[in-house]
Amino acid sequence: MKRGKKFMFVALVIAAAIATSMLFSACAERSDNLEDLVSSVRNMGAPKASAARGINADMSAEEMMEVGFYNYYAAPYVVSENYSTNTTTPPGSDISFNNQYIDGYKIKKGVYSEEDPLASQAYHLVISAGAMASSRRIEEAVVNNGKINYRTVSGSVLTYNDDTGMLKVGDNAQFEYIDYGTDLDRYNTEVCNDPTKVFTYNIYSTKSNALAEGCVQSATQPVYDEARGVYTFSVTFANEVVTQDYLRLLELNLAKQNGGNVNYQSLEMDFEMWADGHIKSISILEKYSFSMFIPLNNIYDADVYFAYDEQECGYVMADYADAFTNNKAIERNNELYDYAAENADTKVMSSGEIAGVVVGVLALAAIGIIVAAVLIKKANKKKAARQEAQDAAASERELFGEESKE
């Protein structure tokens, strides 16, 4: 294949891949009621377990948030469910493509110890789902008996349902296993999602049991809803403080798909806290840009729900301590996949939405053609320069050859 045609082919393949992902992801969105369908935590009432520290109406958002995180690590048991959407758009466009759903949950049993984080039991499940097979991945981590083990499965063995945004694991799935033993530092370097921590953002320090200095950029005053027994407030965080470790996680995950160059823009959270000081839920909204062949913008929108009563919430740690053998989480996931598929509200695009997707596909195809044209032009210039040099060398050899004859 000639160089010019090869460049054109590669660029069009890139554009076609992006366009195809747009068509797949835009055909349906996750049902609005999915979290109600599959969550066993979202609609639970106030916890029966006592919080280690309390809050009061005179506290600021920062003070309540600090108490909430303290109570997370001091709790003898806590589970957090995560339901999130990752939406990618080209700069200046409202048309999204390659929508990715990132769900899962994290269980911690035992009061956290800074001196020995692996002393408590923990389980962590991360499910990355999307229309493109390359974006489908399930990761599990288990902390038990002071050691941490990890396994993952990805690719076409995971069936995707675009009505629910969920994955089902096939019977022939082959997991990849890594035994990290007691080396939590190595795990955090290679996987970057510590199962012993509430999340990866540098907001709360378990060393000082306090918020990271300067992590809050602004916050609203807490408002109490007496009927629900819940305080609510919103926080905007300082990027340079809270993303020190998180940027490494983003770069690592993007590198798996030939992406990078992350420019973090903003992180905002809406908190709900029970009146006793336990965190009820956190809604996370983060924005950043990155590059993957072309510049792209990304919005991550997550809802995280917390529960502190082990028997009532349905996540008994004893069932997950041996999750790699009994496949507790995988079986649970597959059952929820079937249940959600039967009860999901299928969404159909309007003609206007379809037209918008078509315009976006054509625009991205045009970008691919432009990229190809630029590459071909550069290749032709190089080719012309090489030919000119070869012609000059041939003339010089001919000239010297004539002189030697004389």
Side-chain angles (χ1 to χ4, degrees), residues 308-372:
Y308 305 85
D309 301 312
E310 184 174 9
Q311 300 303 319
E312 285 79 359
C313 70
Y315 295 96
V316 179
M317 185 63 219
D319 295 337
Y320 290 87
D322 197 23
F324 291 3
T325 301
N326 62 24
N327 287 315
K328 171 66 177 177
I330 301 304
E331 291 181 2
R332 179 177 186 145
N333 172 81
N334 287 355
E335 290 173 1
L336 291 174
Y337 174 98
D338 292 335
Y339 178 72
E342 292 173 3
N343 294 276
D345 298 323
T346 303
K347 295 187 176 182
V348 180
M349 286 194 298
S350 68
S351 58
E353 290 172 324
I354 293 173
V357 172
V358 172
V359 170
V361 171
L362 293 175
L364 284 169
I367 291 173
I369 292 171
I370 291 170
V371 170

Coordinates of all heavy atoms in Angstrom, one line a residue, residues 308-372:
Y308 N -24.1 1.1 56.6 CA -23.2 0.7 57.7 C -23.7 -0.5 58.5 O -23.1 -0.9 59.5 CB -23.1 1.9 58.6 CG -22.6 3.2 57.9 CD1 -23.4 4.0 57.2 CD2 -21.2 3.5 57.8 CE1 -23.0 5.1 56.5 CE2 -20.7 4.6 57.1 CZ -21.6 5.4 56.4 OH -21.2 6.5 55.7
D309 N -24.9 -1.1 58.1 CA -25.4 -2.2 58.8 C -25.3 -3.4 57.9 O -26.0 -3.6 56.9 CB -26.9 -2.0 59.1 CG -27.1 -0.7 60.0 OD1 -26.3 -0.6 61.0 OD2 -27.9 0.1 59.6
E310 N -24.3 -4.3 58.2 CA -23.9 -5.4 57.3 C -25.0 -6.3 56.9 O -25.2 -6.6 55.8 CB -22.8 -6.2 58.0 CG -22.2 -7.3 57.1 CD -21.0 -7.9 57.7 OE1 -20.7 -7.7 58.9 OE2 -20.3 -8.7 57.0
Q311 N -25.8 -6.8 57.9 CA -26.9 -7.8 57.6 C -28.0 -7.2 56.8 O -28.6 -7.8 55.9 CB -27.4 -8.4 58.9 CG -26.3 -9.1 59.7 CD -25.6 -10.2 58.9 OE1 -26.2 -10.9 58.2 NE2 -24.3 -10.3 59.1
E312 N -28.3 -5.9 57.0 CA -29.4 -5.3 56.3 C -29.2 -4.9 54.9 O -30.1 -4.8 54.1 CB -29.9 -4.0 57.1 CG -30.7 -4.3 58.4 CD -29.7 -4.7 59.6 OE1 -28.5 -4.7 59.4 OE2 -30.3 -5.0 60.7
C313 N -27.9 -4.5 54.6 CA -27.6 -4.0 53.3 C -27.4 -5.0 52.2 O -27.4 -4.7 51.0 CB -26.4 -3.1 53.3 SG -24.8 -3.9 53.6
G314 N -27.2 -6.3 52.6 CA -27.0 -7.4 51.6 C -25.6 -7.7 51.1 O -25.4 -8.5 50.3
Y315 N -24.6 -7.0 51.7 CA -23.2 -7.2 51.3 C -22.5 -7.8 52.6 O -21.8 -7.0 53.3 CB -22.5 -6.0 50.9 CG -23.1 -5.4 49.6 CD1 -24.0 -4.3 49.6 CD2 -22.6 -5.8 48.4 CE1 -24.5 -3.8 48.5 CE2 -23.1 -5.2 47.2 CZ -24.0 -4.2 47.3 OH -24.5 -3.7 46.1
V316 N -22.6 -9.1 52.8 CA -21.9 -9.7 54.0 C -20.5 -10.0 53.6 O -20.2 -10.8 52.6 CB -22.7 -11.0 54.4 CG1 -22.0 -11.6 55.6 CG2 -24.2 -10.6 54.7
M317 N -19.6 -9.5 54.3 CA -18.2 -9.6 54.0 C -17.7 -11.0 53.9 O -16.9 -11.4 53.1 CB -17.3 -8.8 55.0 CG -15.8 -8.8 54.7 SD -15.5 -7.9 53.1 CE -14.2 -8.9 52.4
A318 N -18.3 -11.9 54.7 CA -17.9 -13.3 54.7 C -18.1 -13.9 53.3 O -17.4 -14.9 52.9 CB -18.6 -14.1 55.8
D319 N -19.1 -13.4 52.6 CA -19.4 -14.0 51.3 C -18.4 -13.5 50.2 O -18.2 -14.2 49.2 CB -20.8 -13.5 50.8 CG -21.9 -14.0 51.6 OD1 -21.7 -15.1 52.3 OD2 -23.0 -13.4 51.7
Y320 N -17.7 -12.4 50.5 CA -16.7 -11.9 49.6 C -15.3 -12.1 49.9 O -14.4 -11.9 49.1 CB -17.0 -10.3 49.5 CG -18.3 -10.0 48.8 CD1 -19.4 -9.9 49.5 CD2 -18.3 -9.8 47.4 CE1 -20.6 -9.6 48.9 CE2 -19.5 -9.5 46.8 CZ -20.7 -9.4 47.6 OH -21.9 -9.1 47.0
A321 N -15.0 -12.6 51.1 CA -13.6 -12.9 51.5 C -13.0 -14.0 50.6 O -11.8 -14.0 50.3 CB -13.6 -13.4 52.9
D322 N -13.8 -14.8 50.0 CA -13.3 -15.9 49.1 C -14.0 -15.7 47.7 O -14.3 -16.7 47.0 CB -13.6 -17.2 49.6 CG -12.8 -18.4 49.0 OD1 -11.7 -18.0 48.4 OD2 -13.3 -19.5 49.0
A323 N -14.1 -14.4 47.3 CA -14.9 -14.1 46.0 C -14.2 -14.7 44.8 O -14.9 -14.9 43.8 CB -15.0 -12.6 45.9
F324 N -12.9 -14.9 44.8 CA -12.3 -15.4 43.6 C -12.6 -16.9 43.4 O -12.4 -17.4 42.3 CB -10.8 -15.2 43.7 CG -10.3 -13.8 43.6 CD1 -11.3 -12.8 43.5 CD2 -9.0 -13.4 43.6 CE1 -10.9 -11.4 43.4 CE2 -8.6 -12.1 43.5 CZ -9.6 -11.1 43.4
T325 N -13.0 -17.6 44.4 CA -13.4 -19.0 44.3 C -14.9 -19.2 44.2 O -15.3 -20.0 43.3 CB -12.9 -19.8 45.6 OG1 -11.4 -19.6 45.7 CG2 -13.2 -21.3 45.5
N326 N -15.6 -18.5 45.0 CA -17.1 -18.7 45.0 C -17.8 -17.8 44.0 O -19.0 -18.0 43.7 CB -17.7 -18.6 46.4 CG -17.6 -17.2 46.9 OD1 -17.4 -16.2 46.2 ND2 -17.6 -17.0 48.2
N327 N -17.0 -16.9 43.4 CA -17.5 -15.9 42.4 C -18.8 -15.2 42.8 O -19.7 -15.0 42.0 CB -17.8 -16.7 41.1 CG -16.5 -17.0 40.3 OD1 -15.6 -16.2 40.2 ND2 -16.4 -18.3 39.9
K328 N -18.9 -14.9 44.1 CA -20.1 -14.2 44.7 C -20.4 -13.0 43.9 O -21.6 -12.8 43.5 CB -19.8 -13.9 46.1 CG -20.9 -13.0 46.8 CD -22.2 -13.7 46.9 CE -23.2 -12.9 47.6 NZ -24.6 -13.5 47.7
A329 N -19.5 -12.1 43.6 CA -19.8 -10.8 43.0 C -20.2 -11.0 41.5 O -21.1 -10.3 41.0 CB -18.6 -9.9 43.0
I330 N -19.6 -12.0 40.8 CA -19.9 -12.2 39.4 C -21.3 -12.8 39.3 O -22.1 -12.4 38.4 CB -18.8 -13.2 38.8 CG1 -17.4 -12.6 38.9 CG2 -19.2 -13.5 37.4 CD1 -17.3 -11.2 38.3
E331 N -21.6 -13.7 40.2 CA -23.0 -14.3 40.1 C -24.0 -13.2 40.5 O -25.1 -13.2 39.8 CB -23.1 -15.5 41.1 CG -22.3 -16.7 40.7 CD -22.4 -17.8 41.7 OE1 -23.2 -17.7 42.7 OE2 -21.8 -18.9 41.5
R332 N -23.7 -12.4 41.4 CA -24.6 -11.3 41.8 C -24.8 -10.4 40.6 O -25.9 -9.9 40.3 CB -24.1 -10.6 43.0 CG -25.0 -9.4 43.5 CD -24.4 -8.8 44.7 NE -25.4 -7.7 45.2 CZ -25.6 -7.5 46.5 NH1 -24.9 -8.2 47.4 NH2 -26.4 -6.5 46.9
N333 N -23.7 -10.0 40.0 CA -23.7 -9.1 38.8 C -24.6 -9.7 37.7 O -25.4 -9.0 37.1 CB -22.3 -8.9 38.3 CG -22.3 -8.1 37.0 OD1 -22.4 -6.9 37.0 ND2 -22.1 -8.8 35.9
N334 N -24.4 -10.9 37.4 CA -25.1 -11.6 36.3 C -26.6 -11.6 36.6 O -27.5 -11.5 35.7 CB -24.6 -12.9 36.0 CG -23.2 -12.9 35.3 OD1 -22.7 -11.8 35.0 ND2 -22.6 -14.0 35.1
E335 N -27.0 -11.9 37.9 CA -28.4 -11.9 38.2 C -29.0 -10.5 38.1 O -30.1 -10.3 37.6 CB -28.5 -12.4 39.7 CG -28.2 -13.9 39.9 CD -28.2 -14.3 41.3 OE1 -28.4 -13.4 42.2 OE2 -27.9 -15.5 41.6
L336 N -28.3 -9.5 38.5 CA -28.7 -8.1 38.4 C -28.8 -7.7 36.9 O -29.7 -6.9 36.5 CB -27.8 -7.1 39.1 CG -27.8 -7.3 40.7 CD1 -26.8 -6.4 41.3 CD2 -29.2 -6.9 41.2
Y337 N -27.9 -8.2 36.1 CA -28.0 -7.9 34.7 C -29.3 -8.4 34.1 O -30.0 -7.7 33.3 CB -26.8 -8.6 34.0 CG -26.7 -8.5 32.5 CD1 -26.0 -7.5 31.8 CD2 -27.4 -9.4 31.7 CE1 -25.9 -7.4 30.4 CE2 -27.4 -9.3 30.3 CZ -26.6 -8.3 29.7 OH -26.6 -8.3 28.3
D338 N -29.6 -9.6 34.4 CA -30.8 -10.2 33.8 C -32.1 -9.5 34.4 O -33.0 -9.2 33.6 CB -30.9 -11.7 34.2 CG -29.9 -12.5 33.5 OD1 -29.4 -12.1 32.4 OD2 -29.5 -13.6 34.0
Y339 N -32.1 -9.2 35.7 CA -33.2 -8.5 36.3 C -33.4 -7.1 35.7 O -34.5 -6.7 35.3 CB -33.0 -8.4 37.8 CG -34.1 -7.7 38.5 CD1 -35.4 -8.3 38.6 CD2 -33.9 -6.4 39.0 CE1 -36.4 -7.6 39.3 CE2 -34.9 -5.7 39.7 CZ -36.2 -6.3 39.8 OH -37.2 -5.7 40.5
A340 N -32.3 -6.4 35.5 CA -32.4 -5.0 35.0 C -32.8 -5.0 33.5 O -33.6 -4.2 33.1 CB -31.0 -4.3 35.1
A341 N -32.3 -6.0 32.8 CA -32.7 -6.1 31.3 C -34.2 -6.4 31.2 O -34.8 -5.8 30.2 CB -31.9 -7.2 30.7
E342 N -34.8 -7.1 32.1 CA -36.2 -7.4 32.0 C -37.1 -6.2 32.4 O -38.2 -6.1 32.0 CB -36.5 -8.6 32.9 CG -35.9 -9.9 32.4 CD -36.1 -11.0 33.4 OE1 -36.8 -10.8 34.5 OE2 -35.7 -12.2 33.2
N343 N -36.5 -5.4 33.3 CA -37.3 -4.3 33.8 C -36.9 -2.9 33.4 O -37.5 -1.9 33.8 CB -37.2 -4.3 35.4 CG -37.9 -5.5 35.9 OD1 -39.1 -5.6 36.1 ND2 -37.1 -6.6 36.2
A344 N -35.9 -2.8 32.5 CA -35.4 -1.5 32.1 C -36.4 -0.8 31.2 O -37.1 -1.4 30.4 CB -34.0 -1.6 31.4
D345 N -36.4 0.5 31.2 CA -37.2 1.3 30.3 C -36.3 1.6 29.0 O -35.4 2.4 29.1 CB -37.6 2.7 30.9 CG -38.5 2.5 32.1 OD1 -39.3 1.5 32.1 OD2 -38.3 3.2 33.1
T346 N -36.6 1.0 27.9 CA -35.9 1.2 26.7 C -36.1 2.5 26.1 O -37.3 3.0 26.0 CB -36.3 0.1 25.6 OG1 -36.0 -1.2 26.2 CG2 -35.4 0.3 24.4
K347 N -35.1 3.3 25.8 CA -35.2 4.6 25.3 C -34.9 4.6 23.8 O -34.0 4.0 23.3 CB -34.3 5.6 26.0 CG -34.6 5.7 27.5 CD -33.8 6.8 28.1 CE -34.2 7.1 29.5 NZ -33.4 8.1 30.2
V348 N -35.7 5.3 23.0 CA -35.5 5.4 21.6 C -35.2 6.9 21.2 O -35.8 7.8 21.7 CB -36.8 5.0 20.8 CG1 -36.6 5.1 19.3 CG2 -37.2 3.6 21.2
M349 N -34.2 7.1 20.3 CA -33.8 8.4 19.9 C -34.9 9.0 19.0 O -35.5 8.3 18.2 CB -32.5 8.4 19.1 CG -31.3 8.2 20.0 SD -29.8 8.6 19.1 CE -29.9 7.4 17.8
S350 N -35.1 10.3 19.2 CA -36.0 11.1 18.3 C -35.2 11.3 17.0 O -34.0 11.1 16.9 CB -36.3 12.4 18.9 OG -35.2 13.2 19.0
S351 N -36.0 11.7 15.9 CA -35.4 12.0 14.6 C -34.3 13.1 14.8 O -33.3 13.1 14.1 CB -36.5 12.4 13.6 OG -37.2 13.5 14.1
G352 N -34.6 14.1 15.6 CA -33.6 15.2 15.8 C -32.3 14.7 16.4 O -31.2 15.1 16.1
E353 N -32.5 13.7 17.4 CA -31.3 13.2 18.0 C -30.5 12.3 17.0 O -29.2 12.4 17.0 CB -31.7 12.3 19.2 CG -32.2 13.1 20.4 CD -32.7 12.2 21.5 OE1 -33.3 11.2 21.2 OE2 -32.6 12.6 22.7
I354 N -31.2 11.6 16.2 CA -30.5 10.8 15.2 C -29.8 11.7 14.2 O -28.6 11.4 13.8 CB -31.6 9.9 14.4 CG1 -32.2 8.9 15.3 CG2 -30.9 9.2 13.2 CD1 -33.3 8.1 14.7
A355 N -30.5 12.8 13.8 CA -29.8 13.7 12.9 C -28.6 14.3 13.5 O -27.5 14.5 12.9 CB -30.8 14.9 12.5
G356 N -28.6 14.6 14.8 CA -27.5 15.1 15.5 C -26.3 14.2 15.5 O -25.1 14.6 15.3
V357 N -26.6 12.9 15.7 CA -25.5 11.9 15.7 C -24.9 11.8 14.3 O -23.7 11.7 14.2 CB -26.1 10.5 16.1 CG1 -25.1 9.4 15.9 CG2 -26.5 10.5 17.6
V358 N -25.8 11.8 13.3 CA -25.3 11.7 11.9 C -24.3 12.9 11.6 O -23.3 12.7 11.0 CB -26.4 11.7 10.9 CG1 -25.9 11.8 9.5 CG2 -27.2 10.4 11.1
V359 N -24.7 14.1 12.0 CA -23.9 15.3 11.8 C -22.6 15.1 12.5 O -21.5 15.4 12.0 CB -24.6 16.6 12.4 CG1 -23.6 17.7 12.4 CG2 -25.8 16.9 11.5
G360 N -22.6 14.6 13.8 CA -21.4 14.4 14.5 C -20.5 13.3 13.9 O -19.3 13.5 13.8
V361 N -21.1 12.3 13.4 CA -20.3 11.2 12.7 C -19.6 11.8 11.4 O -18.4 11.6 11.2 CB -21.2 10.1 12.2 CG1 -20.5 9.1 11.3 CG2 -21.7 9.3 13.5
L362 N -20.4 12.6 10.7 CA -19.8 13.2 9.5 C -18.7 14.2 9.8 O -17.7 14.3 9.1 CB -20.9 14.0 8.7 CG -22.0 13.0 8.0 CD1 -23.1 13.9 7.4 CD2 -21.4 12.1 7.0
A363 N -18.9 14.9 10.9 CA -17.9 15.9 11.3 C -16.6 15.2 11.7 O -15.5 15.6 11.3 CB -18.4 16.7 12.5
L364 N -16.7 14.1 12.5 CA -15.5 13.3 12.9 C -14.9 12.7 11.7 O -13.7 12.5 11.6 CB -15.9 12.3 13.9 CG -16.1 12.9 15.3 CD1 -16.7 11.9 16.3 CD2 -14.9 13.5 15.9
A365 N -15.7 12.2 10.7 CA -15.1 11.6 9.5 C -14.3 12.7 8.7 O -13.3 12.4 8.2 CB -16.2 11.1 8.6
A366 N -14.9 13.9 8.7 CA -14.2 15.0 8.1 C -12.9 15.3 8.8 O -11.8 15.6 8.1 CB -15.1 16.3 8.1
I367 N -12.9 15.2 10.1 CA -11.6 15.4 10.9 C -10.6 14.4 10.4 O -9.4 14.6 10.2 CB -11.8 15.3 12.4 CG1 -12.6 16.5 12.8 CG2 -10.5 15.2 13.1 CD1 -13.1 16.4 14.3
G368 N -11.1 13.1 10.3 CA -10.2 12.0 9.8 C -9.6 12.3 8.5 O -8.4 12.1 8.2
I369 N -10.4 12.8 7.5 CA -10.0 13.1 6.2 C -8.9 14.3 6.2 O -7.9 14.2 5.5 CB -11.2 13.5 5.3 CG1 -12.0 12.2 5.1 CG2 -10.7 14.0 4.0 CD1 -13.4 12.5 4.4
I370 N -9.2 15.3 7.1 CA -8.3 16.4 7.2 C -7.0 16.0 7.7 O -5.9 16.3 7.2 CB -8.9 17.5 8.1 CG1 -10.1 18.2 7.4 CG2 -7.8 18.6 8.4 CD1 -10.9 19.1 8.3
V371 N -7.0 15.1 8.7 CA -5.8 14.6 9.3 C -5.0 13.8 8.2 O -3.8 13.9 8.1 CB -6.1 13.7 10.5 CG1 -4.8 12.9 11.0 CG2 -6.6 14.5 11.7
A372 N -5.7 13.0 7.5 CA -5.1 12.2 6.4 C -4.5 13.1 5.4 O -3.3 12.9 4.9 CB -6.1 11.3 5.8

